[in-house]
Amino acid sequence: MNVLPKCPKCDSEYTYKDGELFVCPECAYEWSHLVEEEAGDVGLMIKDANGNMLQDGDTVTVLKDLKVKGSSLVVKVGTKVKNIRLVSGDHDIDCKIEGIGAMKLKSQFVRKV
């Protein structure tokens, strides 16, 4: 019998497979078994706009002008961001940008240097 993995978020044993994803009916978390196998205990699997794997401490370059919400500041194309930290969520990069301060960025708008 095939044993399905427990939910990585709530540790529920009542998971089921829906196409390529596993789904937890208790917390509604969805994940890919391929990501789980590749990642192991490595952590988050986040890629930049070109498909390169990002890691904590990497340096990235911004690929398009990004408006800073709630202010008139703009992060310009080509801005280098050093020492990034990967987090889970929609905006998956925490960083500090010189002249602006602490920010969260989406990995789809950066390229690894």
Side-chain angles (χ1 to χ4, degrees):
M1 180 175 174
N2 251 348
V3 178
L4 295 175
K6 290 185 176 183
C7 175
K9 191 170 185 180
C10 71
D11 204 38
S12 171
E13 59 186 29
Y14 302 110
T15 59
Y16 62 92
K17 191 167 183 175
D18 184 21
E20 293 294 318
L21 298 175
F22 288 106
V23 180
C24 175
E26 292 184 357
C27 69
Y29 183 68
E30 298 179 350
W31 73 99
S32 168
H33 74 287
L34 296 176
V35 171
E36 293 291 318
E37 290 172 2
E38 291 173 5
D41 291 333
V42 173
L44 298 172
M45 304 266 304
I46 298 175
K47 297 181 179 183
D48 69 358
N50 294 336
N52 299 318
M53 292 301 300
L54 295 174
Q55 297 177 350
D56 286 344
D58 280 347
T59 299
V60 296
T61 302
V62 177
L63 296 177
K64 73 178 244 183
D65 286 347
L66 302 172
K67 295 179 183 177
V68 178
K69 191 172 184 177
S71 109
S72 61
L73 299 173
V74 175
V75 179
K76 296 286 187 181
V77 172
T79 301
K80 282 192 178 181
V81 181
K82 298 178 183 177
N83 199 21
I84 65 170
R85 189 171 65 103
L86 303 178
V87 295
S88 60
D90 186 32
H91 291 74
D92 42 20
I93 298 174
D94 270 347
C95 61
K96 287 185 182 176
I97 298 177
E98 198 171 310
I100 295 177
M103 284 197 65
K104 290 186 177 236
L105 298 173
K106 290 186 177 185
S107 59
Q108 66 193 34
F109 299 121
V110 299
R111 177 180 51 88
K112 187 173 181 178
V113 176

